[in-house]
Amino acid sequence: MSAAASTIPAQSMNLAKVKEHIGAIVTGIDLAQPVDGATRKKLYDAAVENVVLVIRGQAHLTPGQVQAAGELFGELMEDQNRRYLVDGFPLISVLDNRHKDSKGQPAKVGANATWHTDHTNQELPPKFTMLYAVAVPDKGGATSVCNARAAYEALPDDLKLQLADAKTENTLISSARMKTGNPDIVKAQLEAKKPPTVHPLVRTHPDTGTKAVWFHKGKTETVTGMSPEATQDFLQDLTDRITQPQFCYAHEYQKGDLLSIDDRASLHKAGFDYDHSQHRRLYRMLVRGDRPY
């Protein structure tokens, strides 16, 4: 095969920013087709710069093509919630409001309706969370994302100083949250036998050198010098401070949207404000990250 015949043709990628501090929408590319190196870099850089990137018009993708699209952003990792996976694709988990629990009842939804970043109890948490819209309700069900980098930069200097050297101890579910009767308590107790994973409360982005507030309130056992209960109050206050409208974007899905969230610079939450008689089904992929510092 000649060099010319083996060259992947460039795609015409269009990028439109959503807000000053967060969000961009990509059109004009087809993820069912090979993506050339230059376009791949543009997608990655746009995801980092804008924190959340929406690639539109991909409703025709097969699961294999969805996985290949996720791999444009790096090596995929296993989701620690592996109860619902796409058949034949163990790196794609399924978020679906029609799932049933072990008793055949509608599975509880809403566990991720609070601001968080994914898998902070792992040594190498994901650098991107990817969500692909398979079925969406007529209205609502948005995924909201906060630019925790811009929000951190806007914090007062005295609070930045307080946060500078703070560490979080992370478990599957914090003991303070377990006391509320969370249904995953048994699993959490098993996880609690493992030493907590320690991460910085403010992490440095490995690509840009910028800093961002970074935590999962439900997985944080303690912040340096605080009890579990005080930790929950402190992180709730911090969440309220940083999730200001100018730093946040709520994405209401169109079928075929592929959402890429830079977990190293953001918090996100799921929305459940929709008609639950309508079907909402998302595929989720996680891109392996580095050790936060």
Side-chain angles (χ1 to χ4, degrees):
M1 181 180 293
S2 68
S6 63
T7 300
I8 299 173
Q11 296 201 44
S12 179
M13 172 179 151
N14 302 307
L15 183 74
K17 290 183 72 69
V18 176
K19 299 177 71 171
E20 177 185 359
H21 294 294
I22 187 168
I25 295 176
V26 170
T27 56
I29 67 173
D30 182 358
L31 294 177
Q33 302 301 318
V35 175
D36 64 287
T39 302
R40 178 176 183 168
K41 186 176 187 305
K42 287 180 183 178
L43 288 171
Y44 184 96
D45 290 347
V48 171
E49 178 183 351
N50 297 285
V51 180
V52 57
L53 190 69
V54 184
I55 306 176
R56 278 257 146 92
Q58 310 301 316
H60 54 291
L61 300 185
T62 65
Q65 290 166 338
V66 171
Q67 177 165 315
E71 290 170 341
L72 293 173
F73 293 83
E75 177 192 358
L76 300 186
M77 61 185 283
E78 287 188 348
D79 196 322
Q80 62 190 22
N81 182 359
R82 301 182 53 74
R83 183 171 182 181
Y84 303 106
L85 302 173
V86 176
D87 288 345
F89 293 89
L91 297 178
I92 305 178
S93 59
V94 182
L95 310 176
D96 195 314
N97 67 326
R98 295 183 179 175
H99 282 152
K100 304 294 184 181
D101 63 19
S102 58
K103 298 180 180 179
Q105 299 299 312
K108 181 180 178 181
V109 296
N112 291 318
T114 55
W115 291 102
H116 67 285
T117 191
D118 287 332
H119 290 22
T120 59
N121 58 310
Q122 297 194 356
E123 293 287 338
L124 303 176
K127 62 181 178 181
F128 291 105
T129 294
M130 315 284 297
L131 297 166
Y132 175 71
V134 179
V136 297
D138 293 338
K139 183 179 180 181
T143 294
S144 296
V145 186
C146 167
N147 182 340
R149 175 181 66 218
Y152 169 78
E153 292 170 354
L155 292 175
D157 289 341
D158 59 339
L159 181 53
K160 286 182 183 176
L161 187 62
Q162 180 184 358
L163 300 177
D165 297 320
K167 305 290 186 184
T168 59
E169 291 190 338
N170 298 268
T171 62
L172 185 63
I173 300 178
S174 68
S175 61
R177 186 179 178 191
M178 284 164 58
K179 293 174 184 177
T180 66
N182 189 289
D184 291 327
I185 188 168
V186 174
K187 188 175 181 182
Q189 287 171 332
L190 293 173
E191 179 77 6
K193 294 179 181 178
K194 302 177 183 177
T197 304
V198 178
H199 290 308
L201 180 55
V202 175
R203 72 173 295 177
T204 302
H205 198 292
D207 295 336
T208 65
T210 56
K211 295 184 180 296
V213 183
W214 184 83
F215 60 90
H216 189 315
K217 180 172 174 279
K219 296 184 184 300
T220 304
E221 180 66 10
T222 62
V223 170
T224 305
M226 299 181 191
S227 68
E229 291 74 20
T231 290
Q232 294 297 302
D233 292 341
F234 176 77
L235 292 181
Q236 185 58 58
D237 178 70
L238 186 57
T239 300
D240 294 342
R241 283 176 174 268
I242 67 175
T243 54
Q244 300 300 310
Q246 66 269 31
F247 304 127
C248 297
Y249 168 57
H251 179 68
E252 292 206 13
Y253 292 94
Q254 296 179 15
K255 184 177 179 180
D257 283 351
L258 179 65
L259 196 70
S260 176
I261 301 169
D262 188 345
D263 289 321
R264 302 162 294 182
S266 68
L267 303 180
H268 64 271
K269 68 174 182 177
F272 295 94
D273 57 337
Y274 60 93
D275 180 352
H276 285 260
S277 69
Q278 297 183 350
H279 195 191
R280 182 180 186 270
R281 182 178 179 90
L282 304 179
Y283 289 167
R284 181 167 90 156
M285 298 172 290
L286 302 175
V287 178
R288 188 179 307 280
D290 302 311
R291 188 76 164 80
Y293 65 94

